[in-house]
Amino acid sequence: MTLIERDQRHIWHPYQPFGSVPPIPISSAHASLLVTEDGREIIDAISSWWVSIHGHAHPRITQAINTQLAKMHHVIFAGFTHEPAIQLAENLLSKLPSNQSKIFYSDNGSTAVEVALKICLQYWANIGFPRTAVIALEDGYHGDTFGAMSASGQGVFTKPFRDLLFDVAYLPSPLGDGGRTLEALEVHLKKETAACVILEPLVQGAGGMRIYSPRTLRSIIILCKQYHVPCIVDEVMTGFGRTGTFFASDQINEYSDCAAKSEEQCSPDLFCLSKGLTGGTLPMGVTSCSEEIYQSFASTEAHKTLFHGHSFTANVLACAAANASFAILSETSTWTNIGRISSSHQLFADSIKAHPKVKNIRQLGTLVAFDVVTSGASSYANPVKHTIQAVCLERGVFLRPLGEVVYILPPYCITNAELQRVYQAILAALDEI
Ligand SMILES: *Cc1c(COP(=O)(O)O)cnc(C)c1O
């Protein structure tokens, strides 16, 4: 039996509708390339679901994991600690805004979001003013667990569970000038029932790579501050250089009137991190929060404890990988690459913006995205994605459009020649539709 036959007998793959083309067996991967079982090389132009920021099998991350592997694989994190987790917390806090004070570890982006939501809900209970309303953006995506699904925009992903998801007030899209979003937010905040606001800063990822302005983001955060409602920024996709700055929310500081306020007055209260955190090697999630939020749990009353923890919390191998990834991110050459990809994307965007099958071309840092002009409805299910994916694959390029939204989110080590191959593959795919 072939690998594909054995796979198809027993394995249930994520996000693969029945009847999808069979999966491709991959035997190794390095830098931007995936190597198939039969020796073909494919450019991973979306960093394997956005995680492999430094490319596959980065030797320094491999080495850090190997070194750690010889010492300890894992230890329960309740009642024990270890240097890699402490170092990672220090590393992250050195880049997060100065109001961030505590790091809570979990396993993935969805759990990072669950933890943030639970912290905010319990914060209000702990201070004696219970509140349960969650405010989120239309078309957001925060993960596939129940709390994360509730906070996400509602659509085909969440429909079968609709009746079991908690109520969330959705703000209209922050695209454009964001005026409607801010008005709606203020209406909700005035009710004094909101426990938190959760959003993806600057880019709504899985919801269609929708980019909105740092100005709108900053206004949302400042409004939350005025009403004293914690604002969670879900940087699971946008963190670690993706948008051209270390965190996407760093870009709000470019506004002078924000700089005039103290950083505390414009900084989000909680951050969710995952995807790029370990450089695409091991699963890990992080939720950080401000000292003020943490203080509501700092009590000897047992019921004020955060009763949340996963078996693999702060896995030491994942911490070692994340510290190595952090070191690579601290190097100038990484930021040179991010800038190089950004400029290259800009040129590509300019070159195809007048293409009759392309609309809404947008670019931020290492992300470039556009909508394909199709007769089909604008949705994740738009079948145009299959044609584009297939034509690109023929040409040795892996893309995974979100319906009619085509995007590139490459590893930072992608070469200029590889980028050109990705662009050419997209042009060829556009010719086929
Ligand atoms: C991917 C993603 C998540 C979920 O992360 P998983 O690791 O897939 O559970 C949450 N939020 C955002 C913004 C994401 O892009």
Side-chain angles (χ1 to χ4, degrees):
M1 250 195 300
T2 66
L3 278 181
I4 296 176
E5 284 163 349
R6 283 163 60 200
D7 173 282
Q8 299 282 275
R9 260 174 85 184
H10 297 307
I11 296 179
W12 192 341
H13 286 263
Y15 281 94
Q16 293 289 277
F18 184 75
S20 298
V21 289
I24 304 165
I26 297 296
S27 58
S28 66
H30 54 89
S32 306
L33 299 174
L34 307 174
V35 184
T36 64
E37 196 62 32
D38 52 11
R40 225 159 62 86
E41 287 183 339
I42 301 172
I43 300 173
D44 185 356
I46 63 158
S47 310
S48 280
W49 255 341
W50 323 342
V51 302
S52 299
I53 53 174
H54 307 301
H56 295 271
H58 193 290
R60 286 184 35 211
I61 305 184
T62 307
Q63 213 215 308
I65 295 172
N66 275 334
T67 306
Q68 181 53 50
L69 203 49
K71 294 189 211 160
M72 172 166 62
H73 295 185
H74 183 67
V75 62
I76 174 174
F77 209 60
F80 291 90
T81 192
H82 44 72
E83 195 274 340
I86 297 165
Q87 183 63 57
L88 179 56
E90 289 168 358
N91 285 344
L92 294 172
L93 288 169
S94 74
K95 290 292 179 186
L96 286 163
S98 61
N99 71 336
Q100 295 300 289
S101 152
K102 289 289 190 288
I103 297 291
F104 190 97
Y105 291 112
S106 65
D107 301 340
N108 57 64
S110 303
T111 55
V113 167
E114 297 289 336
V115 170
L117 293 169
K118 284 174 76 172
I119 288 177
C120 288
L121 293 165
Q122 195 176 342
Y123 159 80
W124 289 100
N126 282 0
I127 63 171
F129 300 100
R131 286 188 178 195
T132 55
V134 172
I135 301 177
L137 296 180
E138 220 171 63
D139 300 313
Y141 176 77
H142 298 290
D144 291 346
T145 51
F146 268 81
M149 275 198 293
S150 300
S152 298
Q154 299 304 305
V156 63
F157 297 180
T158 54
K159 193 153 181 266
F161 316 104
R162 184 58 251 174
D163 292 348
L164 293 170
L165 302 180
F166 55 74
D167 275 336
V168 167
Y170 293 103
L171 306 178
S173 164
L175 273 56
D177 75 354
R180 287 177 55 234
T181 317
L182 290 161
E183 268 168 43
L185 176 59
E186 187 144 28
V187 169
H188 285 296
L189 292 173
K190 276 196 172 130
K191 294 181 194 157
E192 299 191 350
T193 55
C196 61
V197 173
I198 181 165
L199 49 80
E200 293 158 276
L202 300 194
V203 187
Q204 297 188 282
M209 298 297 169
R210 298 151 181 263
I211 299 174
Y212 64 96
S213 77
R215 189 175 282 280
T216 299
L217 175 61
R218 180 206 49 173
S219 303
I220 293 174
I221 294 169
I222 291 176
L223 204 52
C224 290
K225 297 271 171 197
Q226 273 168 20
Y227 286 86
H228 210 77
V229 170
C231 181
I232 305 167
V233 288
D234 177 354
E235 294 247 14
V236 168
M237 179 196 114
T238 51
F240 307 103
R242 269 297 170 210
T243 66
T245 43
F246 201 97
F247 296 113
S249 46
D250 294 345
Q251 295 183 32
I252 63 176
N253 294 321
E254 284 162 24
Y255 288 91
S256 53
D257 55 334
C258 193
K261 297 179 191 279
S262 75
E263 198 184 291
E264 302 265 317
Q265 288 172 294
C266 335
S267 298
D269 303 278
L270 297 98
F271 282 72
C272 302
L273 308 173
S274 187
K275 294 212 163 96
L277 173 61
T278 63
T281 53
L282 290 160
M284 173 169 244
V286 157
T287 308
S288 73
C289 74
S290 66
E291 183 62 21
E292 186 192 344
I293 304 266
Y294 177 74
Q295 277 306 318
S296 70
F297 293 80
S299 161
T300 49
E301 295 170 87
H303 70 273
K304 291 195 175 171
T305 308
L306 179 63
F307 289 108
H308 189 106
H310 299 278
S311 318
F312 283 98
T313 295
N315 174 259
V316 69
L317 300 170
C319 290
N323 284 325
S325 176
F326 187 88
I328 299 165
L329 267 176
S330 306
E331 284 166 5
T332 326
S333 59
T334 304
W335 294 93
T336 310
N337 278 334
I338 291 171
R340 173 180 58 84
I341 295 167
S342 179
S343 313
S344 172
H345 280 351
Q346 270 167 32
L347 290 176
F348 172 63
D350 282 344
S351 75
I352 67 159
K353 65 172 186 269
H355 193 292
K357 289 176 191 158
V358 169
K359 63 177 180 185
N360 301 333
I361 184 123
R362 48 210 185 260
Q363 184 269 331
L364 183 67
T366 63
L367 167 71
V368 65
F370 63 87
D371 303 346
V372 178
V373 177
T374 66
S375 49
S378 162
S379 93
Y380 183 79
N382 192 312
V384 74
K385 67 182 176 187
H386 302 302
T387 315
I388 293 179
Q389 188 164 351
V391 176
C392 288
L393 205 51
E394 275 293 294
R395 297 176 153 250
V397 171
F398 174 57
L399 286 178
R400 201 170 188 284
L402 298 155
E404 78 284 7
V405 179
V406 177
Y407 70 92
I408 312 174
L409 204 63
Y412 305 153
C413 64
I414 193 167
T415 65
N416 288 335
E418 287 166 340
L419 275 174
Q420 292 308 322
R421 278 184 55 202
V422 177
Y423 303 147
Q424 292 307 320
I426 289 176
L427 289 172
L430 288 173
D431 282 344
E432 301 270 326
I433 52 171

